[in-house]
Amino acid sequence: MSRPSDPGGSPPPELHLPSDFPGLTGDDGGGPYIEHSRVKSIVSSLRENLGSLRGAAPSGMSATWSGAGTVNEVSYRGNVGPAETGKWEAATAFGDNLTQAHTVFNDSYGVLVDNVEKWVDAVEKAIVNYEKFQRDSSA
């Protein structure tokens, strides 16, 4: 697929996948061939790991379990500010910096997990659409 060139700008960068990219099994003559079953397996594993970042309880554990590295744990344990660092001037300034860092990091961490989840959804839909197109066009 070619993109219209912008006479005033530079061309879009080309995407070069490493030869050992998961699911990439060679060239089908028109570009790289992606093994869908391998990509589905990787995406499924990623989705499972995203569940643990959200705080999904593993089987046999409480539904309120948060766990290491979850969005809730980062929010709770990283929430340190002036009240925790002390009342003297340097400690209060340090606490203010920690509060600001926590706010930025906590929000960014949650957004990262949300965006990876959206990417996983998009890849899954792309594979389903491609496979449907292949079935429909060969019928």
Side-chain angles (χ1 to χ4, degrees), residues 2 7 10 21 38 40 45 49 62 83 99 105 108 112 124 137:
S2 64
S10 59
F21 189 83
R38 177 78 173 117
K40 284 180 185 177
S45 177
N49 287 316
S62 164
T99 298
F105 179 75
S108 299
L112 172 68
E124 287 175 336
S137 68

Side-chain angles (χ1 to χ4, degrees), residues 65-139:
W65 181 82
S66 179
T70 62
V71 174
N72 287 340
E73 186 205 31
V74 169
S75 178
Y76 174 73
R77 292 188 186 267
N79 194 8
V80 176
E84 291 79 18
T85 56
K87 299 286 184 200
W88 48 289
E89 186 179 344
T92 299
F94 179 65
D96 289 339
N97 287 336
L98 288 174
T99 298
Q100 183 178 5
H102 172 263
T103 300
V104 171
F105 179 75
N106 189 52
D107 292 348
S108 299
Y109 191 60
V111 168
L112 172 68
V113 173
D114 290 343
N115 286 336
V116 171
E117 201 164 59
K118 289 175 187 174
W119 178 85
V120 167
D121 290 341
V123 169
E124 287 175 336
K125 288 176 185 173
I127 291 172
V128 167
N129 288 342
Y130 182 84
E131 289 175 341
K132 181 182 181 320
F133 170 77
Q134 287 293 88
R135 267 192 319 274
D136 293 351
S137 68
S138 61

